[in-house]
Amino acid sequence: MDERYMRLALQLAETARGQTSPNPLVGAVVVKDGEVVGFGAHLKAGEPHAEVHALRMAGAKAEGATVYVTLEPCSHYGRTPPCADLLIEKKVKRVVVATTDPNPLVAGKGIEKLRRAGIDVTVGVLKEEADVLNEMFFHYISTKTPYVTLKYAMSLDGKIATKTGESKWITSEEARRDVHRERKQHDAIVVGVGTILADNPSLTVRFGHEGKQPIRVVLDTHLRTPLQANIVTDNMAPTWIVVGHHVTEDQMKPYEQTGVQFIRMNEHTIHIPSLLRELGKRNVMSIFVEGGAHVHGSFLSSCSVQQVIAYVAPTLIGGNEAPSAIGGEGFGRMMDALRLQVKHVEMIGSDIKIVAKG
Ligand code: NDP
Ligand code: ZN
């Protein structure tokens, strides 16, 4: 029975995917005498936690009830008061937790507080699912750098463009719509200036997945992004351009007038680990790296890849000059290659989507 209610709590948590950052996804279910009397999910940072919604719905029935929550209840004063205190105040009998909160402000303290108040606490029900649910948040909390997803659309022979640089379109419309769903689940989209120059993309979330738009981040050491580029002029989402230390205030000014923000690195090049630390400081919990080949190559060679989402089209492009999905130096020895595990395979339209994780 515990698993059944926890599964429901996990499903509730999942419904808010893409809208809670920098907070985790959390769901809660209140059960009294075998009946669900309350449920809820955390919907947005700054808004009530899942437990608060669920207990509100349960009202007086919370007394003596069992509460299923996908993440350890918080014990600290953040933007909202601690949920552990609320559970105690509402006199619940038992709390079932899927996984503990690695946030050093909570980390076991929430559970301890409940136990000290005489509440029966069970920990670890559907832990694996709960850990996967919040893997981006857990990565961010423990490393202070964003969770990195590399995404690309490639032909059956591994090319992301033709030898002349054409890449519209390798995959079917259905696959391209799916990209918008995936974009929405990340805080920022990262591309190299090469992709801006080649494709002038808008990098927004569309096709019915609108809502909070991810930040658009361009790696552009010498500030070659045209002032007329869509990401500079369209005001559809925040745009951050990452530049080398040598780029001057005068060069940046005309972009800033259109609302673009800059991250100026301390070096003359954009070193990926330093970039990730900078993004982490700016509360970016996850990034969706959409290429091109050079940028993917830099992420691979700095071993900063947590997930790959590849869309593979049954098309052959060929040519030594046509770029493959990941460029750069590459590894010299097989033993150094990054080994991932396939977590999901799906046909989308005429293409195959593969999700692999480290
Ligand atoms: P990229 O978009 O990878 O941009 C590369 C440029 O980014 C570099 O030349 C460099 O320019 C700048 N840059 C800054 N910092 C870094 C860093 N740390 N690592 C790497 N690059 C950095 O361009 P590509 O030319 O490789 O790819 C563009 C091509 O790929 C286009 O033809 C496009 O159509 C295709 N494409 C295909 C996709 C697909 O999924 N099918 C997706 C995206 C692109 P600088 O030194 O001036 O800063
Ligand atoms: Zn809470």
Side-chain angles (χ1 to χ4, degrees):
M1 272 330 237
D2 278 356
E3 289 200 4
R4 204 183 114 198
Y5 292 124
M6 189 60 83
R7 186 147 284 125
L8 176 58
L10 286 165
Q11 284 165 356
L12 287 163
E14 178 71 44
T15 55
R17 189 177 282 286
Q19 58 189 54
T20 61
S21 175
N23 282 356
L25 292 164
V26 189
V29 174
V30 185
V31 179
K32 177 86 173 280
D33 303 327
E35 282 182 6
V36 174
V37 294
F39 55 81
H42 178 50
L43 300 177
K44 206 171 183 171
E47 290 185 9
H49 290 182
E51 299 92 316
V52 175
H53 284 305
L55 288 168
R56 252 185 222 159
M57 194 189 289
K61 291 179 188 153
E63 189 173 338
T66 297
V67 179
Y68 294 85
V69 54
T70 59
L71 186 68
E72 173 177 8
C74 62
S75 56
H76 64 296
Y77 279 88
R79 280 190 264 189
T80 55
C83 292
D85 292 2
L86 185 67
L87 290 159
I88 296 166
E89 185 195 312
K90 297 288 175 194
K91 300 194 173 66
V92 310
K93 186 164 167 243
R94 184 173 172 240
V95 175
V96 182
V97 174
T99 194
T100 51
D101 189 340
N103 184 343
L105 289 170
V106 186
K109 294 191 200 106
I111 289 168
E112 212 182 285
K113 200 170 202 179
L114 295 173
R115 284 195 172 133
R116 260 190 284 126
I119 295 175
D120 175 14
V121 184
T122 305
V123 183
V125 173
L126 300 185
K127 177 178 167 28
E128 225 169 279
E129 284 92 329
D131 286 341
V132 171
L133 176 79
N134 276 311
E135 61 192 341
M136 290 179 178
F137 172 76
F138 291 163
H139 175 88
Y140 175 65
I141 284 286
S142 56
T143 64
K144 300 194 166 52
T145 60
Y147 181 97
V148 177
T149 300
L150 297 193
K151 166 257 159 182
Y152 41 79
M154 67 180 193
S155 59
L156 199 51
D157 55 335
K159 307 292 189 186
I160 61 162
T162 65
K163 63 182 177 186
T164 60
E166 246 179 67
S167 63
K168 286 178 178 160
W169 296 108
I170 292 174
T171 44
S172 60
E173 194 179 327
E174 291 92 328
R176 294 188 334 256
R177 278 172 191 263
D178 189 69
V179 170
H180 288 256
R181 200 175 58 79
E182 294 289 353
R183 275 183 182 163
K184 197 181 168 185
Q185 297 174 19
H186 294 78
D187 288 346
I189 297 169
V190 174
V191 297
V193 65
T195 296
I196 299 295
L197 294 170
D199 301 340
N200 190 19
S202 41
L203 304 175
T204 51
V205 173
R206 303 183 299 274
F207 295 117
H209 300 292
E210 289 84 351
K212 186 175 148 195
Q213 292 285 346
I215 300 156
R216 302 173 290 193
V217 178
V218 185
L219 308 192
D220 186 5
T221 322
H222 313 288
L223 193 47
R224 293 190 289 140
T225 297
L227 263 171
Q228 304 75 30
N230 285 330
I231 55 150
V232 176
T233 58
D234 70 6
N235 278 314
M236 299 291 285
T239 298
W240 296 357
I241 302 183
V242 186
V243 293
H245 189 67
H246 54 286
V247 171
T248 64
E249 300 286 342
D250 278 352
Q251 281 174 283
M252 294 191 276
K253 205 167 275 161
Y255 295 84
E256 283 167 341
Q257 279 161 359
T258 70
V260 169
Q261 291 181 41
F262 282 90
I263 299 180
R264 188 158 59 177
M265 303 305 289
N266 288 326
E267 301 114 51
H268 291 280
T269 55
I270 302 167
H271 180 230
I272 300 298
S274 316
L275 169 73
L276 293 174
R277 281 193 297 274
E278 285 300 323
L279 293 174
K281 279 188 210 157
R282 290 164 171 80
N283 292 330
V284 175
M285 194 165 96
S286 58
I287 62 173
F288 195 56
V289 185
E290 298 206 42
H294 276 99
V295 165
H296 282 152
S298 296
F299 276 88
L300 178 62
S301 56
S302 67
C303 294
S304 308
V305 179
Q306 275 69 53
Q307 175 174 246
V308 171
I309 300 182
Y311 298 88
V312 186
T315 308
L316 297 173
I317 292 175
N320 289 325
E321 303 304 318
S324 67
I326 302 191
E329 279 286 300
F331 296 118
R333 300 181 304 178
M334 248 348 269
M335 64 182 289
D336 294 330
L338 178 64
R339 306 257 172 200
L340 304 171
Q341 279 182 314
V342 173
K343 295 289 180 185
H344 176 88
V345 180
E346 183 186 356
M347 282 295 293
I348 298 190
S350 51
D351 310 311
I352 302 168
K353 176 185 182 184
I354 302 171
V355 180
K357 293 180 187 179

